Amino acid sequence: MTNNHLPNETESTADEFLHRPVFRRFGMYFHFYLIAGLALPILIYLTMMHDYGWRMPTLDSSGVVGFTSAKRNVLLYASPQTKNLMQGMGGNYDVLLMPWRQYLKDRNQRFKETSELKDLRDAASSLLILPSAIALSTEERQAIELFRSQGGAVLATWAAGSRDAKGDWQGWQFLESLGARVLGELNINQAANHLILNGNSALSHHLPAGQRLYLAPTSESLLRLQGDMVAGRITNWARVPQAAQRSEGGVIYTETSASIGRSVVLAFAESAWADHPKTYYSFFDDVFRWLSREPSIIQATWPHHFRAAQVVEMDTEEGFPNAENFGSMLKAVNIPAAFYVLTSVGIQYPEVLKRLHRDFEVGYHGEIHTGFKDESESKQFQRLQTMKKEMQSVIPDTRRMVGFRAPTEGYDATTEQILHQMGLGYHVADPNRTEGRLPLFAKIDGTTTANDLVVLPRTQRDDINFNQENLGVEQTTQAMIQDAELLLENGGLGILSVHSQNFAADSLLARAFPGYLLYLKQNQQQFWLASPRQVVDWWRARENVKMSAEFDGVRMALNISVVGNDPIQGVTFIAILPRKGIVPNVKPLKVGGLKPQSVQLLDPYRAAISFDTLKPGHYSYQVTFDPS
């Protein structure tokens, strides 16, 4: 019998669907199913491994990668006595707790908020936050002491423990037990309103050297602290501490022994950073790592053993011949210098300019002493071309002249774009350009770090600042030395700028300068006394070093890659130690692999792993921290 049944539209569609390839049956949603099918097992796996203690990456707003660890047991103490005391004074303790809740949530860090310190457990892997817990009972103090004796770490802020459970004043003995000596308080109306962090330190190694963190005015006065180690100091915006506070710190840290928990004390309350938290988050990431004894390895900022880089330069304008007086001082002590020439003046002294070019680095300072900021592109281009032509009328071959310093420090993005187009390599900028104390790339469109314009920020006071302060000769010398001491502590780039019109032979500045140069020579093992061009060359070369380091709970795997075509000298890495005073053992994983030139302690909590020369290639090491 003939089957005259004709398939209806539904049956035809179903038959067609069954004969499609599998991937076509999902239609336009196939890639969503595929991603979900892959992502779900990965997510489940990572969640399980996180529970077993894997460190999970976080990325903050500044692009800094951090890690959180499930093994780190964080306890946030909501002090009931402090809450009652603040309520009685019309305050709200939650205002000081909330910033920590938000930070821990942002970092996906598991934590327990508790008001019962006597129930502390698992002290060896615990980190206790005492957020401005000013009122602590005798029992609570004893519980915290026991907690630390069992290996628990403590982060205390502001005036923690300064009062008892009733709110009566007890003094600073509690903070002293955590390693911080309190010398008094800073008036909230004073200009000391920035925390300046030390670069490559145990507590701030993922932020730029000299990073400036704003401390907002609060009703809680800043404390004046001293202690074993200082991670940052409280200064004004210009990074100048008050004379009485030069030996004091805003962040104190210590480890009394391997069996007792580490401690960190902050001189400020949470209200000082609650409204601008993101950069502080990166800082707290490093603080938490150190408190939890999690080792880290980072690339050092400067080559070899140097802690900071010092550049000395002159804006060579009026009083142009004074440049030779300045140059002779530096040449006598073999310290490099740079001269940025205002070309309309420089061409009036061709022989002086030629001698400066012969002995030192010479760069451009514009053609007239007027800033470039906000001028039209065509006008800026014309002015910079005039500048270059005037220089070439005295020095025909200007290929070595790759530096620029804008007159009055007046420049903008257009200026940088034209400088790059003209083939210049760097410019010396104003202190406002960055919150850190390191070179940076201008990030001009279409460039890479290999050919981008490098910006060198001036972060030291100059002679104009000193003149405004009406200092004498000895005072000026000491002011320059004090700025350099803070630079050395910060580990950043310092540029001391002077002006030719202020450097006559009998001038205050000329009489004050030899004492400063003597200080630099006496400390040349710590300062990299470099020309700006040397700093720029290093900063570009440093970008060719890529590294990663991971800790598995016992040892670290350190992987180093050098890209490009040229070997790099003086590459150094800094290990943040899990225990005080341990020199790490660094072993190449390849037979016959390159060994470090040296591995030595920088301070009780850091060690330097230095290489004489690293050629292009890949290097792998195992780093262990066994006590001797």
Side-chain angles (χ1 to χ4, degrees):
M1 177 181 291
T2 303
N3 186 353
N4 292 322
H5 173 71
L6 296 176
N8 59 32
E9 184 177 352
T10 301
E11 291 172 332
S12 177
T13 302
D15 185 64
E16 179 187 351
F17 179 81
L18 291 172
H19 286 84
R20 288 181 186 174
V22 172
F23 69 89
R24 290 191 58 205
R25 297 181 188 180
F26 293 96
M28 62 180 293
Y29 301 104
F30 175 73
H31 57 288
F32 292 111
Y33 291 118
L34 179 62
I35 293 172
L38 293 173
L40 185 59
I42 292 173
L43 180 61
I44 294 173
Y45 175 73
L46 289 177
T47 302
M48 292 174 61
M49 296 310 293
H50 185 251
D51 289 339
Y52 281 112
W54 268 23
R55 293 173 44 166
M56 307 301 288
T58 62
L59 186 67
D60 68 13
S61 60
S62 63
V64 176
V65 176
F67 291 87
T68 61
S69 173
K71 286 186 175 180
R72 184 191 294 152
N73 181 25
V74 176
L75 300 163
L76 178 64
Y77 184 51
S79 165
Q81 286 79 15
T82 301
K83 181 179 180 179
N84 293 336
L85 178 63
M86 289 190 174
Q87 282 181 340
M89 301 170 62
N92 183 359
Y93 190 39
D94 271 345
V95 171
L96 302 177
L97 290 168
M98 186 58 69
W100 289 113
R101 295 169 182 157
Q102 292 174 339
Y103 163 72
L104 295 166
K105 180 180 179 181
D106 183 271
R107 288 321 201 221
N108 294 319
Q109 172 64 63
R110 296 183 180 181
F111 71 100
K112 177 182 179 181
E113 187 168 325
T114 179
S115 58
E116 295 290 336
L117 285 181
K118 63 183 180 181
D119 294 331
L120 291 178
R121 296 186 179 91
D122 301 325
S125 61
S126 294
L127 190 162
L128 174 65
I129 305 174
L130 298 175
S132 300
I134 56 177
L136 293 176
S137 67
T138 300
E139 292 75 18
E140 288 171 320
R141 296 167 195 265
Q142 291 173 347
I144 294 171
E145 183 179 356
L146 177 61
F147 172 78
R148 286 192 66 217
S149 69
Q150 295 174 343
V154 175
L155 169 59
T157 66
W158 191 44
S162 58
R163 296 182 181 274
D164 64 15
K166 297 180 180 179
D168 294 332
W169 177 254
Q170 295 296 300
W172 303 111
Q173 292 89 343
F174 179 74
L175 289 183
E176 289 177 357
S177 73
L178 298 179
R181 298 185 298 276
V182 183
L183 305 182
E185 299 180 359
L186 285 172
N187 190 310
I188 59 174
N189 295 319
Q190 292 176 337
N193 55 3
H194 285 82
L195 176 67
I196 310 300
L197 296 176
N198 297 333
N200 294 344
S201 84
L203 263 62
S204 54
H205 45 278
H206 285 99
L207 284 170
Q211 178 76 30
R212 183 167 44 206
L213 302 181
Y214 178 60
L215 294 167
T218 70
S219 58
E220 298 86 18
S221 298
L222 303 174
L223 299 183
R224 297 171 50 201
L225 303 179
Q226 288 182 338
D228 176 30
M229 299 293 290
V230 173
R233 299 197 186 276
I234 296 174
T235 75
N236 62 13
W237 180 90
R239 298 185 178 87
V240 180
Q242 298 177 21
Q245 280 86 55
R246 293 189 183 279
S247 64
E248 299 167 11
V251 181
I252 302 297
Y253 62 105
T254 191
E255 173 193 327
T256 54
S257 74
S259 61
I260 296 178
R262 290 173 163 178
S263 60
V264 172
V265 177
L266 308 183
F268 46 91
E270 289 69 16
S271 49
W273 57 268
D275 293 337
H276 45 279
K278 287 301 182 180
T279 307
Y280 276 91
Y281 283 8
S282 297
F283 169 51
F284 294 142
D285 289 346
D286 284 347
V287 171
F288 275 39
R289 289 188 191 97
W290 185 81
L291 284 170
S292 302
R293 298 185 182 274
E294 298 174 18
S296 297
I297 299 178
I298 57 170
Q299 185 179 353
T301 303
W302 305 114
H304 302 294
H305 52 270
F306 297 117
R307 293 173 53 191
Q310 175 69 81
V311 167
V312 180
E313 66 90 359
M314 174 174 274
D315 293 353
T316 317
E317 313 160 347
E318 297 178 25
F320 197 92
N322 293 335
E324 290 201 283
N325 180 34
F326 180 70
S328 64
M329 283 188 184
L330 287 125
K331 197 173 181 179
V333 291
N334 196 29
I335 294 178
F339 295 83
Y340 298 103
V341 174
L342 197 67
T343 54
S344 61
V345 178
I347 59 177
Q348 300 175 34
Y349 302 92
E351 296 306 315
V352 175
L353 179 52
K354 288 177 182 177
R355 287 193 290 270
L356 292 176
H357 180 252
R358 181 193 64 200
D359 296 334
F360 300 97
E361 179 179 342
V362 170
Y364 300 98
H365 192 42
E367 87 293 21
I368 58 174
H369 203 260
T370 301
F372 288 78
K373 183 178 174 61
D374 296 331
E375 290 186 341
S376 68
E377 182 178 358
S378 59
K379 184 173 182 180
Q380 291 198 40
F381 179 79
Q382 182 182 25
R383 287 186 59 190
L384 291 169
Q385 288 294 341
T386 299
M387 172 193 75
K388 196 165 186 177
K389 288 178 182 177
E390 287 181 342
M391 184 70 82
Q392 288 175 331
S393 70
V394 179
I395 311 292
D397 185 359
T398 58
R399 287 176 296 179
R400 288 166 48 197
M401 297 183 188
V402 295
F404 176 79
R405 175 158 166 75
T408 70
E409 295 184 332
Y411 66 94
D412 55 24
T414 300
T415 316
E416 293 182 342
Q417 182 72 44
I418 298 173
L419 292 174
H420 179 261
Q421 292 171 356
M422 292 174 58
L424 272 69
Y426 75 90
H427 80 108
V428 178
D430 60 291
N432 295 293
R433 182 56 184 267
T434 175
E435 294 301 318
R437 304 193 72 174
L438 295 180
L440 61 151
F441 292 99
K443 296 184 179 179
I444 296 172
D445 290 343
T447 63
T448 65
T449 55
N451 64 356
D452 198 359
L453 189 75
V454 177
V455 182
L456 304 180
R458 178 184 67 83
T459 62
Q460 280 175 279
R461 287 179 289 180
D462 62 11
D463 56 332
I464 295 176
N465 299 131
F466 298 138
N467 288 340
Q468 291 172 344
E469 296 176 25
N470 296 317
L471 303 177
V473 173
E474 182 61 29
Q475 291 174 314
T476 300
T477 299
Q478 288 305 310
M480 289 189 287
I481 291 175
Q482 288 164 356
D483 285 357
E485 288 174 341
L486 184 61
L487 168 67
L488 192 64
E489 188 176 60
N490 292 164
L493 166 67
I495 297 180
L496 178 57
S497 175
V498 300
H499 295 76
S500 54
Q501 58 266 41
N502 294 331
F503 215 89
D506 60 346
S507 67
L508 180 149
L509 188 61
R511 287 181 287 157
F513 222 75
Y516 177 68
L517 296 180
L518 176 61
Y519 165 80
L520 292 181
K521 289 298 290 185
Q522 291 173 338
N523 293 277
Q524 62 184 334
Q525 296 301 313
Q526 300 183 80
F527 283 106
W528 183 25
L529 305 176
S531 70
R533 193 163 54 218
Q534 288 175 313
V535 172
V536 170
D537 289 345
W538 164 254
W539 208 247
R540 294 191 196 280
R542 188 179 182 275
E543 284 292 305
N544 288 333
V545 180
K546 312 297 180 183
M547 65 147 287
S548 65
E550 274 301 317
F551 183 57
D552 65 5
V554 178
R555 61 186 64 82
M556 294 201 77
L558 171 62
N559 294 294
I560 305 166
S561 293
V562 178
V563 300
N565 300 316
D566 300 319
I568 304 176
Q569 295 184 338
V571 177
T572 298
F573 301 92
I574 295 178
I576 311 300
L577 307 175
R579 292 188 296 279
K580 184 177 181 179
I582 294 177
V583 179
N585 179 35
V586 183
K587 179 182 178 182
L589 292 181
K590 297 179 182 179
V591 177
L594 180 67
K595 295 181 179 180
Q597 181 187 22
S598 66
V599 180
Q600 56 186 352
L601 290 176
L602 295 173
D603 61 40
Y605 306 104
R606 301 180 304 154
I609 304 169
S610 302
F611 294 87
D612 183 32
T613 303
L614 283 180
K615 297 179 180 179
H618 180 75
Y619 307 84
S620 296
Y621 298 89
Q622 174 182 282
V623 183
T624 53
F625 303 93
D626 300 320
S628 56

